[in-house]
Amino acid sequence: MGNPAVSMVRVSPTGKYVSWLAPVDTIMNIHIAPVDDLLSSRVITTSTVRDITSYFWAPNERDIYFFSDENGNEAFSPYAASVDSGETRSLYDVASNARAIPQGVTSRRPDELLIGVNDRDPQYFDLVRINTVTGETVEIIENPGYQSWIMDEDLVPRAGQRAADEGGTEIVTMNGDIITTAPAEDSLSTYGIGFSNDGQTFFMLDSRNRETTAVTAIDLDTKVLTVIAENPRVDIIDVERAPDTGEVLIVKTDYLKPEWRSTGDDLVDELAWLSERLGSTAELMNWTEDRQQAVVYSDRSDQPGTYFLFDRDALTLTELFKTRPALADYDLAIMHPRVIESRDGLELVSYLTLPVGSDSNRDGVPDETVPLVLLVHGGPWERDSYGYNSTVQHLANRGYGVLTVNFRGSTGLGKSFRRAAVGEFGGKMHDDLLDAVDWAISEGVTDPDTVAIMGASYGGYAALVGASMTPDRFACAVDLVGPTNLIDLVESFPSYWGAYLEDTWYAYIGDPRVEADRAHMLSRSPITHAASVNIPIIVFQGATDPRVLKNQSDNFVATLKRIGTPVTYIVYPDEGHGFGRPANFESFYALTEQFLSVCLGGRAEPLGDILERSSAQIEEGANLISGVISE
């Protein structure tokens, strides 16, 4: 469960270098090498505590940019790592109670980075232009109330998206002219992509007056809207645009498996060639500036991913790296896509993974029933997808079937499916999970008394709902940073979330300013039903989490302790909403597998020194975990 050997491979703008993330003393740092000599790689960052999780190239190819926070508090600051010297320098002094977010780079201004900073008003991000060669910073515009900015190819703000007075959102130009509007029901799935390079066309992902999100274009002179690409079954979730024109070239959808397709004649043959050699799940990661070379990622559920360099002219693929080469010779578990029908007729796109050797004919049904972990995704405005998944493989290796479910509210599967979750936290969203478990039981995958529920963030909330509201359906529950009180959750969100609350959290969960909504939110909060918990439960919490504050877990655990219900509680003082230190990540899985081995009877590796290497503090219930001796 350590970090991959290689991740996030990228090719530099001119194609001279390849860059990637790889561990240095277990901590992910940025490495580079000439594209034709990977063995002469150099590490150009020196993070020693927390992983660098993402980065991007400067158009001038002198630097690589990344953003980092402290102890998971999400107060991000921008940094540049020099390609030549390997020196890392801070690009902007962000106030301790603020954060910076990337807003863009462009080859037209190769020495500049545009960021948004909320140190003036915590709710809104002003735009700051940084010359990363001279160090000069210029605040170019204060935010008048935009949820997000839309720039042109010169990094000049051309439009912003803001909340509309009557609900929903509107996209407006800098002088206040409305380009287009979206009602509240479309606010999560309708937003601007950008302008054509000549400034005459505005591109959008757009779900208005349709069931699935399409790519549309608005002619700014005539206001005529044209549909560029659509799929009647699923949303378009990503696009690639041409750097010379800004036009949309290819689009991505994801039903059972992800798929890229061209919107016109460009890249049609290349995409077909890649699909033939790598399968439909090949991902285009990034291009050189001239779009002649690209990094391609090939993903299968039962093999670690592989990165290739694709040469468009020569039509060749050169293997660069395997993400986890140590696993290349092992038999890994196969993920089986399944569509499960909910009790009210919705299609729940799901994925079932079985332990290696449990399914002799590999048809997705075990020879004998196996204990099952229902693994619930976070968000909830996210989704589970096909492909290699470390958590799934880990659980399957320990002897468990793993079921991941796109319950109502999950994204990418159409507007009606997403909006079927309005008001249904802890209600029909949870029913979908129960229906999936019933399906697994009816298909002979598992038995009713050998099912655990596990998840992080919203998935942690779902695990707590399972333990408190339907404890008869689960043998045990694993929660990582899951909210226990929906009122406290919404009222304590970071200030910069304020612009999004009306059409998202207020619409889907309830508005805590409205008494009737407060009552509903409490009725769907695990803390309200804590007295009903009668199954083993383990709670993990990051002490610096700015989204789900530590007092959420503290109060829930205190309630269980007060009524005499056994609970195990682990706190990480140097983590926030998830893990940034590899040793902490490993300790989470080590403790989880010990817990599940007691609950479901699967295998568990001895803990060794993992607790000493991590910051994990077991505040309650050490005696309830196999392999941990309580003081």
Side-chain angles (χ1 to χ4, degrees):
M1 297 311 301
N3 275 321
V6 173
S7 70
M8 205 174 186
V9 179
R10 298 292 185 264
V11 62
S12 67
T14 67
K16 181 178 179 180
Y17 298 104
V18 172
S19 58
W20 63 93
L21 293 174
V24 177
D25 294 330
T26 76
I27 306 298
M28 298 297 272
N29 277 274
I30 300 171
H31 300 239
I32 65 168
V35 71
D36 56 356
D37 186 11
L38 299 183
L39 294 179
S40 63
S41 66
R42 296 179 288 120
V43 59
I44 62 168
T45 55
T46 57
S47 183
T48 59
V49 178
R50 300 184 66 78
D51 288 336
I52 295 174
T53 58
S54 64
Y55 69 91
F56 53 99
W57 276 90
N60 61 18
E61 217 169 72
R62 294 175 51 157
D63 293 309
I64 290 178
Y65 303 139
F66 65 97
F67 287 65
S68 183
D69 68 347
E70 292 185 7
N71 295 332
N73 62 2
E74 300 185 13
F76 294 101
S77 294
Y79 297 88
S82 169
V83 170
D84 290 334
S85 70
E87 175 191 3
T88 296
R89 62 193 187 278
S90 173
L91 294 177
Y92 188 84
D93 186 15
V94 180
S96 60
N97 61 343
R99 71 185 329 224
I101 57 175
Q103 291 288 351
V105 294
T106 176
S107 59
R108 293 189 182 184
R109 305 177 78 108
D111 298 338
E112 295 182 353
L113 168 68
L114 193 65
I115 65 172
V117 183
N118 67 339
D119 48 8
R120 179 187 60 85
D121 182 336
Q123 189 168 343
Y124 298 108
F125 289 85
D126 302 330
L127 291 181
V128 175
R129 180 176 286 125
I130 304 171
N131 187 307
T132 60
V133 175
T134 67
E136 179 186 12
T137 62
V138 178
E139 182 179 300
I140 61 174
I141 190 170
E142 289 188 355
N143 192 324
Y146 297 146
Q147 299 168 340
S148 60
W149 297 92
I150 304 165
M151 262 61 69
D152 65 17
E153 283 303 301
D154 291 308
L155 294 186
V156 175
R158 289 281 307 278
Q161 186 158 320
R162 68 188 183 191
D165 292 339
E166 66 277 9
T169 58
E170 55 190 17
I171 298 175
V172 299
T173 64
M174 291 297 97
N175 60 11
D177 293 336
I178 295 176
I179 296 176
T180 192
T181 63
E185 66 178 14
D186 293 293
S187 60
L188 276 175
S189 50
T190 298
Y191 48 90
I193 299 172
F195 294 88
S196 60
N197 289 9
D198 62 12
Q200 297 304 304
T201 307
F202 182 66
F203 300 103
M204 300 179 63
L205 286 174
D206 191 348
S207 66
R208 296 170 301 173
N209 304 310
R210 58 195 323 111
E211 176 54 35
T212 58
T213 299
V215 179
T216 62
I218 299 175
D219 185 296
L220 296 179
D221 289 333
T222 66
K223 303 300 183 184
V224 172
L225 184 144
T226 303
V227 176
I228 296 175
E230 61 183 331
N231 185 308
R233 190 172 204 178
V234 290
D235 297 335
I236 291 173
I237 56 176
D238 199 3
V239 303
E240 282 272 359
R241 296 200 296 149
D244 55 337
T245 66
E247 300 287 332
V248 174
L249 294 178
I250 57 176
V251 299
K252 179 183 179 182
T253 58
D254 188 357
Y255 185 60
L256 296 180
K257 294 182 180 180
E259 180 180 0
W260 286 93
R261 71 177 181 87
S262 175
T263 62
D265 296 331
D266 194 36
L267 288 172
V268 172
D269 294 338
E270 292 92 331
L271 290 175
W273 187 86
L274 287 170
S275 180
E276 180 182 344
R277 282 152 182 78
L278 301 178
S280 63
T281 57
E283 291 269 0
L284 292 163
M285 306 309 294
N286 85 308
W287 290 89
T288 53
E289 184 66 27
D290 61 9
R291 294 187 69 79
Q292 294 308 305
Q293 292 181 301
V295 171
V296 178
Y297 179 67
S298 176
D299 191 21
R300 279 181 45 178
S301 66
D302 58 341
Q303 291 182 2
T306 304
Y307 288 97
F308 298 87
L309 187 66
F310 171 56
D311 188 301
R312 186 178 179 183
D313 283 342
L315 215 59
T316 58
L317 277 173
T318 303
E319 182 173 328
L320 297 173
F321 303 103
K322 285 183 167 53
T323 56
R324 295 178 183 270
L327 295 181
D329 296 330
Y330 287 86
D331 290 329
L332 301 181
I334 299 171
M335 180 178 282
H336 300 275
R338 295 289 184 265
V339 178
I340 301 169
E341 185 174 341
S342 73
R343 66 190 68 181
D344 56 354
L346 294 183
E347 290 186 354
L348 309 177
V349 174
S350 306
Y351 302 92
L352 174 66
T353 304
L354 298 172
V356 173
S358 68
D359 175 15
S360 57
N361 62 3
R362 300 164 76 92
D363 65 350
V365 179
D367 302 335
E368 299 179 352
T369 58
V370 296
L372 182 74
V373 176
L374 177 65
L375 184 63
V376 187
H377 71 68
W381 301 294
E382 298 176 7
R383 65 155 293 168
D384 286 310
S385 291
Y386 174 87
Y388 178 86
N389 182 305
S390 289
T391 303
V392 170
Q393 290 294 334
H394 172 242
L395 293 170
N397 178 269
R398 297 318 194 229
Y400 309 116
V402 186
L403 183 60
T404 59
V405 182
N406 286 304
F407 47 87
R408 69 191 68 204
S410 302
T411 55
L413 299 166
K415 180 165 58 180
S416 295
F417 188 83
R418 187 187 72 251
R419 290 194 59 80
V422 170
E424 296 300 338
F425 271 55
K428 292 181 180 179
M429 296 166 76
H430 190 64
D431 289 344
D432 290 346
L433 299 175
L434 299 180
D435 292 346
V437 171
D438 287 339
W439 170 87
I441 294 169
S442 69
E443 291 292 310
V445 173
T446 193
D447 297 312
D449 58 351
T450 59
V451 180
I453 183 169
M454 172 178 170
S457 193
Y458 178 86
Y461 164 79
L464 296 171
V465 167
S468 62
M469 296 173 64
T470 58
D472 58 313
R473 299 301 309 274
F474 299 102
C476 54
V478 179
D479 156 49
L480 171 61
V481 296
T484 67
N485 184 318
L486 295 180
I487 294 175
D488 288 351
L489 173 73
V490 175
E491 289 184 335
S492 64
F493 277 146
S495 298
Y496 51 87
W497 285 26
Y500 299 92
L501 289 179
E502 291 287 346
D503 296 337
T504 54
W505 296 97
Y506 289 172
Y508 280 76
I509 301 179
D511 185 344
R513 300 168 298 185
V514 178
E515 196 58 39
D517 284 8
R518 291 180 71 88
H520 176 75
M521 294 167 79
L522 274 179
S523 74
R524 300 292 176 84
S525 296
I527 191 72
T528 303
H529 306 277
S532 299
V533 176
N534 59 11
I535 61 173
I537 185 169
I538 187 168
V539 175
F540 295 87
Q541 178 66 50
T544 66
D545 192 338
R547 307 185 189 194
V548 179
L549 301 185
K550 181 174 176 289
N551 63 10
Q552 292 251 352
S553 292
D554 288 346
N555 293 339
F556 187 76
V557 170
T559 300
L560 294 183
K561 188 177 179 181
R562 186 171 61 251
I563 63 178
T565 300
V567 59
T568 301
Y569 185 30
I570 295 96
V571 175
Y572 293 86
D574 54 354
E575 298 286 8
H577 200 66
F579 294 106
R581 290 189 57 210
N584 290 340
F585 184 73
E586 291 178 49
S587 72
F588 163 73
Y589 282 102
L591 291 167
T592 295
E593 72 172 30
Q594 296 291 339
F595 174 80
L596 290 174
S597 72
V598 175
C599 170
L600 297 180
R603 299 188 306 117
E605 183 178 335
L607 285 173
D609 66 347
I610 184 59
L611 295 186
E612 289 74 20
R613 291 191 287 111
S614 77
S615 68
Q617 298 176 351
I618 305 179
E619 297 196 356
E620 295 289 342
N623 60 308
L624 303 176
I625 309 175
S626 175
V628 178
I629 300 175
S630 173
E631 296 180 357

